[in-house]
């Protein structure tokens, strides 16, 4: 698969050929259908946000939506074909864990596929355009749940 990876500010984003990631027991693989470039990604690429990253090289991109393509062995809540948005900040906010943050703690959405822990997923309801799911993913968990429960 193609992925834009970041190692440092001198090299910036580099297009790489990588094997698609495989889901672990508590995660799913998604085909990325929408990803936004957040201003914080720009800070990272410029070198100002390097300390936020939990690994290098890393595929950036944390405003992500996609379609589930594989599920881990312990997953019963999601199925292949589900449309999902990835939530960057967990809820409650006090329990957030940046190592579980897509594009910061693990490889993100500037790729064809990504693997995401189910604790960071929200279904995109029917009637919501897929790319809007990526934009909505940057909001905190509480806002996403409120938005989705309206449908």
């Amino acid at each position: 698969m193609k992925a834009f990876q970041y190692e440092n500010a001198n090299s910036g984003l580099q297009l790489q050929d990588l094997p698609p990631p495989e889901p672990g027991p508590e995660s799913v693989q998604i085909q990325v259908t929408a990803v936004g470039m957040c201003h914080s990604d720009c800070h990272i690429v410029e070198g100002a946000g390097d300390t936020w990253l939990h690994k290098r090289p890393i595929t950036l991109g944390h405003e992500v939506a996609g379609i589930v393509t594989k599920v881990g062995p312990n997953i019963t809540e999601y199925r292949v074909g589900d449309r999902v948005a990835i939530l960057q900040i967990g809820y409650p906010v006090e329990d957030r864990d940046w190592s579980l943050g897509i594009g910061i703690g693990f490889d993100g959405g500037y790729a064809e596929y990504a693997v995401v822990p189910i604790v960071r997923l929200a279904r995109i309801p029917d009637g919501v355009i897929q790319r809007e799911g990526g934009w909505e993913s940057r909001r905190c968990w509480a806002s996403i749940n409120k938005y989705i429960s309206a449908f």
Side-chain angles (χ1 to χ4, degrees):
M1 74 168 187
K2 301 288 187 192
F4 281 101
Q5 290 210 307
Y6 173 84
E7 176 75 38
N8 59 57
N10 291 333
S11 61
L13 291 175
Q14 298 290 315
L15 184 61
Q16 304 290 335
D17 284 308
L18 302 172
E22 293 296 323
E26 301 297 327
S27 60
V28 301
Q29 179 195 73
I30 65 161
Q31 179 181 15
V32 176
T33 58
V35 62
M37 178 171 254
C38 181
H39 202 231
S40 60
D41 292 326
C42 296
H43 287 303
I44 291 169
V45 171
E46 292 171 351
D50 276 1
T51 59
W52 304 338
L53 303 177
H54 286 253
K55 70 171 243 165
R56 289 171 203 249
I58 189 167
T59 303
L60 298 178
H62 57 262
E63 297 177 1
V64 185
I67 298 170
V68 174
T69 49
K70 293 183 181 180
V71 297
N74 297 341
I75 305 303
T76 58
E77 303 93 322
Y78 292 92
R79 304 224 182 293
V80 170
D82 285 349
R83 298 177 335 126
V84 294
I86 291 72
L87 309 170
Q88 181 63 322
I89 300 174
Y91 181 79
V93 174
E94 296 80 24
D95 293 339
R96 70 184 173 267
D97 179 352
W98 291 116
S99 69
L100 293 177
I102 189 169
I104 293 175
F106 59 92
D107 287 327
Y110 294 168
E112 294 176 87
Y113 293 90
V115 166
V116 185
I118 63 163
V119 297
R120 293 300 176 101
L121 290 181
R123 276 189 185 76
I124 298 175
D126 294 338
V128 174
I129 299 170
Q130 190 77 23
R131 69 176 180 265
E132 291 176 355
W135 296 330
E136 288 299 326
S137 70
R138 67 183 164 176
R139 300 177 193 267
C140 73
W141 179 268
S143 295
I144 288 280
N145 280 337
K146 219 173 179 181
Y147 178 74
I148 288 173
S149 66
F151 289 91

